[in-house]
């Protein structure tokens, strides 16, 4: 819903909708494995394990989407080569000096941090929500 609302309110934006699509896909690759794992047995430990599985899936998907869709899109849309994109990352992370390091040391950690932050709030409020989640309202 968030991505649809952003598209409606902001139009395609600077990414021509590709950023929203990538965000939607990475979000789904987090949500589906996490919820399917948790759905089988609803405990705090299963919720935590599901979030870890979802985060891992999200990181892998984000790296693949960046490799196959996002970076090629930016290279085409903004007439850049991979060296320029890696150069931008090098300004923030000095040891990122190759394309492989860009994906493994910039894209992956960013999405890992994003996944952990996405998990933090639900994990902290799990106990108060537990009766609702277990159908004991």
């Amino acid at each position: 819903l968030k991505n649809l609302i952003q598209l409606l309110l902001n139009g395609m934006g600077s990414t021509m909708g590709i950023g929203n699509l990538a965000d939607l896909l990475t979000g789904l690759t987090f949500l589906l494995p996490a919820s399917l794992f948790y759905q089988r047995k609803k405990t705090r430990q299963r919720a935590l394990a599901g979030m870890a599985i979802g985060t891992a899936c999200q990181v892998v998907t984000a790296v693949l989407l960046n490799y196959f869709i996002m970076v090629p899109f930016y290279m085409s849309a903004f007439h850049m080569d991979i060296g320029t994109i890696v150069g931008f990352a090098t300004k923030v992370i000095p040891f990122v000096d190759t394309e492989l390091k860009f994906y493994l040391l910039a894209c992956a950690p960013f999405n890992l941090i994003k996944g952990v932050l996405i998990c933090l709030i639900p994990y902290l409020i799990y106990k108060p929500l537990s009766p609702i989640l277990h159908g004991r309202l």
Side-chain angles (χ1 to χ4, degrees):
L1 285 174
K2 173 190 73 122
N3 291 297
L4 180 60
I5 291 168
Q6 282 180 336
L7 282 173
L8 292 174
L9 293 178
N10 302 328
M12 296 295 228
S14 63
T15 66
M16 295 184 218
I18 300 292
N20 290 91
L21 176 63
D23 191 40
L24 173 67
L25 292 174
T26 58
L28 288 173
T29 59
F30 169 82
L31 181 67
L32 292 175
S35 61
L36 289 173
F37 188 81
Y38 174 74
Q39 185 177 16
R40 195 164 154 244
K41 186 176 179 189
K42 296 177 181 176
T43 66
R44 190 176 183 115
Q45 292 78 20
R46 296 276 298 186
L48 186 59
M51 287 186 260
I53 291 166
T55 298
C57 291
Q58 177 181 345
V59 169
V60 170
T61 301
V63 168
L64 292 173
L65 285 172
N66 272 285
Y67 181 77
F68 288 110
I69 297 173
M70 295 297 292
V71 171
F73 168 78
Y74 284 117
M75 287 170 40
S76 175
F78 300 108
H79 309 290
M80 292 188 284
D81 61 13
I82 191 64
T84 304
I85 293 172
V86 170
F88 289 139
T90 302
K91 292 177 182 177
V92 179
I93 309 169
F95 49 86
V96 173
D97 55 1
T98 66
E99 183 179 7
L100 179 62
K101 287 181 182 178
F102 170 74
Y103 293 112
L104 296 179
L105 302 175
C107 292
F110 171 81
N111 284 282
L112 179 62
I113 292 167
K114 180 181 174 183
V116 168
L117 292 174
I118 289 170
C119 295
L120 188 60
I121 292 172
Y123 184 75
L124 293 175
I125 64 172
Y126 175 85
K127 198 66 171 171
L129 288 181
S130 183
I132 297 167
L133 296 172
H134 291 94
R136 298 180 302 229
L137 187 61

